[in-house]
Amino acid sequence: MFKIRSFVFLFLLATGTAAAQQSVYNLHTRLKNESDSQKINTYLEIGKLYAADQPDSAVHYCNLAMRLAEKLNDRHSEGVLLLELGRINIRHHHEELARRFINEALSIFRNLREPEGIAQAYDELGLVDGQQQNINAATKEMDRAMKFYVDSHDSEGVMNTYNGLGKVFEEKGDTEKALTYYLRTLVQYEHRKQKPEAYFILLDRIGHIYLKKGDRKMALKYLEEGIRESNIPSERDTQINLITEEGKIYEQEGQKTKALAYYKQALAEAKKYNKPEEQAQALISIAGVLKKENSGQSLNDLKSALKIANGLNEPRLEAAIYAALADVYRQEKDYKEAIAALEENHRLLDSLLGADTTKDISAIDSSYALESSREKIGNLQQVSKEEKKELDLSLVILGMAVVALVLFFLYLRKVKRLNKELKAANQVKDTLFSVIGHDLKGPAGSAAQLFALMETEDFTEEELKLIISDLRKQTEASFELLQTLFEWGRAQLQGIKVQPETLDTKSIVNKNINLLARQAALKNISVVDHVPAGAGIIGDLNHFDFIVRNLLSNAIKFTYENGTIELSAEKKDAGKVVFMVKDTGTGISAEQQQQFLTSDLQVSYGTKGEKGSGLGLNLIKEFIVANNGSIWLESEQGKGTTFYFSFPAA
């Protein structure tokens, strides 16, 4: 039964990824013509598409939506987004973080007096308790949700709660209770003419519970019901999945002829409706049945499946095929080929494990960052009411900065002790200490002096507002530098990992222009976007976003008041897209230009004394090289600078 579940997981992941990519592209296209309030829902939809296998991206898009919701003071949307962030963390087993998001959503919905939102929050809290095996608490939370749904005659909510209770008891291992709740959910669906995807997933769950109970007849009954109900084009993926799974059951029972017939039916359906992932999965299943009687045909089927998987760039699917190939080669005593196939299988699985771990860590970091940000906003709102709380919060923030510096110091000492012989590690250490010692000392010292004045002097309310504004600027500058410092240090110590994908550069450029609009407005700088729609590239989303944001920020920093900044892109014959960021600023001397091309730029100052550490440009160079691009510049002192960089064209 474990093999069946693993197969279904790989199958759904492979088919879901391609569909999700197409949907994400369509949603990004839709964003171009939407208002801020409409973009909130679109970002949320994109986050839901990424939730299963790319939690870091899911959290990122929810964060974008959250910023817009806060900007518009849309408390309902904030609650919905917090609920979705909770669901993402539940899915990836970060229960405590999920609980914090859901409780905050619950608080918002209570203040807004929205019963539906309250019920949904109780549902999700029940799932958190269920994952932590706290069954009594889980059932209490879901009973509360059920009461709201029943009172409001919300049949959809009732179904979700029954389904959630089924999951809770299935997690616990109580198959009888789980089956009871799943069957109650199923009854609700039977009255509907159009069955949603959740209905077919439910049939799959019921079928597997009957398999656990050893009742294969009932398991087949529910799988066949899913096949009958899904016999419509929009549910074709689901039907092929259910057909294949039914074949797996017959294969386990030793009825190979029936199993082979179902697999061939799934293959025919996949070919008919042009579903390459499903074709590969069906070929794997057919090869498994034939390997004893016709190993040659089995190998041919697996090689055909591998060719399809290579074209789709699906490493999970490739890993499964190599495992099956190794099994057939071992049966034929061709141990050389068997070992080669197993080594490739292990390589692919190791790469997937590393990628999944990185995404998971990134999602946790993003979730914690959002949660911390929301806590700070709440505290700052209280600060505006009470002067003492304002001082306490500022001291806490300063204390956090000191702790961060101490942690960096301890970490770098450890790196130095363990890697004295590595020149690169020493250079990282020297650079980090230089930036911390010089660039952070000033803002921290200024903040301390302002705190001392606030303690000893009596200020008017207007004077206090000016001091608080100055403190905020000092804190933001230090935080921005720490972020860049962290990214650069991690890249130096761990290497730069690229996750290439097709990017819509126009939307990324627009996002960063909007992000830095206030900074440009303070100097009355015009930012002109000449980047054409459709200038697609292949690259890492986070890297390209960082490059555009930092080059634009630098251009604003070094451009005189009332100046102009232009951004453009042009596709070249060599399969590259060349981007340009041009300013009318201070310019860069010939000596500094040569220094940029051969090594690293040092600390410099903007037209209003804005200070830069030089780390941003260093990291930009490394990101561009890692993405198979190049960077160069043209500049004349007093007349401005133009940065050019290239990425592979989509």
Side-chain angles (χ1 to χ4, degrees):
M1 188 177 69
F2 173 76
K3 290 182 179 178
I4 293 175
R5 295 297 286 184
S6 299
F7 173 83
V8 173
F9 170 75
L10 287 171
F11 178 87
L12 290 175
L13 185 63
T15 56
T17 301
Q21 288 173 346
Q22 183 61 40
S23 298
V24 168
Y25 177 79
N26 294 336
L27 290 170
H28 272 293
T29 303
R30 196 172 82 188
L31 280 168
K32 297 176 183 178
N33 302 315
E34 289 187 327
S35 65
D36 283 351
S37 60
Q38 292 171 324
K39 286 179 180 178
I40 293 173
N41 291 327
T42 303
Y43 280 136
L44 177 59
E45 287 183 52
I46 296 174
K48 288 180 178 179
L49 289 172
Y50 280 128
D53 58 338
Q54 296 189 49
D56 52 341
S57 297
V59 171
H60 168 72
Y61 283 103
C62 286
N63 287 353
L64 293 178
M66 184 66 76
R67 290 173 194 162
L68 288 175
E70 290 170 346
K71 173 185 171 183
L72 299 173
N73 195 27
D74 185 348
R75 295 291 286 165
H76 170 78
S77 292
E78 287 184 45
V80 171
L81 290 163
L82 287 166
L83 210 54
E84 182 60 24
L85 285 163
R87 292 187 182 110
I88 294 168
N89 282 281
I90 290 172
R91 184 188 288 265
H92 296 280
H93 298 282
H94 309 144
E95 287 86 1
E96 290 308 317
L97 192 54
R99 191 186 299 277
R100 289 167 64 181
F101 281 124
I102 297 165
N103 276 325
E104 188 173 353
L106 180 60
S107 176
I108 289 174
F109 289 132
R110 280 175 172 166
N111 289 334
L112 295 175
R113 296 182 181 179
E114 293 187 9
E116 183 179 358
I118 294 170
Q120 289 177 0
Y122 279 134
D123 259 341
E124 300 304 327
L125 286 172
L127 290 175
V128 173
D129 285 320
Q131 282 190 356
Q132 294 181 325
Q133 296 296 306
N134 191 352
I135 305 303
N136 289 336
T139 52
K140 285 181 181 178
E141 302 288 2
M142 289 189 169
D143 284 344
R144 289 179 180 177
M146 183 66 77
K147 185 177 185 303
F148 277 106
Y149 291 135
V150 170
D151 290 345
S152 57
H153 305 288
D154 186 346
S155 59
E156 188 76 29
V158 170
M159 281 193 297
N160 288 338
T161 303
Y162 278 144
N163 197 43
L165 285 165
K167 290 179 184 177
V168 167
F169 284 106
E170 189 176 2
E171 287 271 349
K172 185 185 177 184
D174 191 338
T175 56
E176 292 298 334
K177 281 193 176 180
L179 186 59
T180 299
Y181 285 113
Y182 285 149
L183 290 173
R184 288 184 185 179
T185 311
L186 190 62
V187 169
Q188 302 292 324
Y189 283 118
E190 287 176 352
H191 302 294
R192 297 188 176 192
K193 291 182 180 179
Q194 188 74 24
K195 302 294 195 296
E197 182 184 0
Y199 169 75
F200 302 102
I201 295 172
L202 179 63
L203 289 174
D204 176 68
R205 285 183 176 277
I206 294 172
H208 281 93
I209 287 183
Y210 275 115
L211 281 177
K212 286 180 183 179
K213 291 161 61 69
D215 191 341
R216 296 183 184 275
K217 183 178 178 181
M218 290 297 292
L220 286 169
K221 172 191 170 184
Y222 284 99
L223 291 175
E224 288 170 354
E225 181 180 341
I227 293 170
R228 286 196 308 274
E229 294 287 349
S230 65
N231 194 21
I232 53 176
S234 63
E235 299 295 345
R236 188 62 56 189
D237 294 347
T238 305
Q239 185 185 34
I240 297 171
N241 173 33
L242 293 169
I243 291 170
T244 305
E245 193 167 351
E246 193 164 355
K248 285 288 180 181
I249 294 176
Y250 282 119
E251 185 179 355
Q252 281 196 337
E253 290 182 336
Q255 298 185 48
K256 292 188 176 182
T257 303
K258 274 193 173 182
L260 192 59
Y262 276 100
Y263 293 150
K264 288 183 177 179
Q265 183 185 350
L267 179 60
E269 287 280 316
K271 287 181 178 178
K272 181 179 178 181
Y273 293 97
N274 192 25
K275 302 287 184 180
E277 296 90 349
E278 290 85 335
Q279 289 181 48
Q281 292 290 358
L283 286 167
I284 296 171
S285 300
I286 292 169
V289 175
L290 293 176
K291 71 178 180 180
K292 296 288 187 185
E293 292 80 11
N294 191 345
S295 59
Q297 183 60 46
S298 179
L299 287 172
N300 287 337
D301 288 337
L302 289 172
K303 288 174 183 177
S304 297
L306 186 59
K307 185 177 180 181
I308 294 171
N310 288 336
L312 296 170
N313 191 25
E314 287 291 348
R316 282 186 173 84
L317 191 56
E318 291 178 52
I321 295 169
Y322 277 114
L325 280 168
D327 199 23
V328 179
Y329 283 129
R330 187 165 47 239
Q331 172 190 294
E332 296 302 301
K333 303 190 185 310
D334 188 347
Y335 297 114
K336 181 180 178 181
E337 291 293 339
I339 290 171
L342 279 176
E343 286 176 348
E344 190 63 19
N345 169 264
H346 291 157
R347 183 189 69 78
L348 287 165
L349 290 177
D350 288 344
S351 67
L352 285 168
L353 179 61
D356 289 345
T357 302
T358 301
K359 289 178 182 177
D360 219 29
I361 291 172
S362 177
I364 296 172
D365 288 343
S366 299
S367 294
Y368 271 116
L370 177 63
E371 180 67 12
S372 299
S373 172
R374 293 185 64 78
E375 288 176 358
K376 289 177 184 177
I377 291 171
N379 289 337
L380 287 172
Q381 289 172 341
Q382 289 297 112
V383 164
S384 64
K385 297 177 182 179
E386 301 180 32
E387 181 180 336
K388 185 177 180 302
K389 288 184 180 179
E390 177 185 344
L391 180 59
D392 290 343
L393 178 61
S394 300
L395 290 172
V396 167
I397 294 173
L398 183 61
M400 289 171 65
V402 171
V403 169
L405 293 177
V406 170
L407 290 174
F408 264 102
F409 174 77
L410 294 175
Y411 176 69
L412 292 172
R413 284 190 62 183
K414 182 179 179 181
V415 171
K416 181 182 177 183
R417 184 174 67 253
L418 297 176
N419 302 283
K420 288 182 181 179
E421 71 279 13
L422 298 178
K423 181 180 178 181
N426 282 331
Q427 289 175 342
V428 173
K429 171 182 66 66
D430 293 341
T431 303
L432 290 174
F433 273 120
S434 173
V435 174
I436 292 171
H438 294 88
D439 296 358
L440 289 178
K441 184 178 179 181
S446 298
Q449 291 175 358
L450 288 172
F451 288 140
L453 284 173
M454 292 171 68
E455 256 188 333
T456 57
E457 301 292 335
D458 291 326
F459 293 103
T460 65
E461 184 176 349
E462 192 64 31
E463 288 172 332
L464 278 174
K465 286 182 179 179
L466 291 172
I467 292 174
I468 292 169
S469 175
D470 199 9
L471 278 171
R472 179 182 59 78
K473 291 176 183 177
Q474 298 282 4
T475 306
E476 286 178 350
S478 299
F479 181 69
E480 182 181 352
L481 180 58
L482 277 173
Q483 278 188 313
T484 305
L485 194 65
F486 173 74
E487 290 288 343
W488 181 82
R490 183 168 63 179
Q492 296 300 309
L493 295 171
Q494 299 178 0
I496 297 174
K497 296 179 181 178
V498 179
Q499 296 180 4
E501 58 181 296
T502 301
L503 303 179
D504 176 15
T505 59
K506 180 71 174 179
S507 63
I508 298 172
V509 170
N510 283 340
K511 181 195 76 172
N512 283 288
I513 290 174
N514 293 333
L515 184 67
L516 297 170
R518 183 175 175 273
Q519 187 177 330
L522 291 174
K523 298 172 75 173
N524 198 27
I525 294 171
S526 299
V527 181
V528 184
D529 177 15
H530 296 304
V531 175
I537 62 170
I538 301 295
D540 187 290
L541 172 61
N542 293 326
H543 293 175
F544 184 79
D545 188 58
F546 181 91
I547 292 163
V548 173
R549 183 170 64 255
N550 277 266
L551 286 178
L552 181 56
S553 177
N554 283 346
I556 294 170
K557 189 180 299 180
F558 293 102
T559 296
Y560 297 108
E561 291 187 356
N562 303 312
T564 302
I565 297 170
E566 297 181 56
L567 296 94
S568 67
E570 181 181 0
K571 188 173 183 180
K572 299 294 184 180
D573 294 337
K576 299 280 187 179
V577 177
V578 176
F579 296 86
M580 180 192 79
V581 181
K582 180 178 181 182
D583 65 58
T584 57
T586 59
I588 302 174
S589 67
E591 180 183 357
Q592 283 184 308
Q593 291 181 50
Q594 187 62 29
Q595 184 185 53
F596 171 73
L597 295 172
T598 57
S599 59
D600 300 329
L601 279 177
Q602 304 301 315
V603 175
S604 55
Y605 295 85
T607 59
K608 280 199 165 185
E610 306 100 322
K611 192 172 183 181
S613 66
L615 289 179
L617 275 173
N618 297 340
L619 195 53
I620 285 171
K621 288 167 63 179
E622 294 178 10
F623 281 166
I624 289 174
V625 171
N627 283 270
N628 300 314
S630 55
I631 183 169
W632 65 98
L633 63 90
E634 296 174 358
S635 183
E636 185 176 347
Q637 282 191 290
K639 294 186 178 181
T641 300
T642 304
F643 275 94
Y644 299 92
F645 65 94
S646 68
F647 265 69

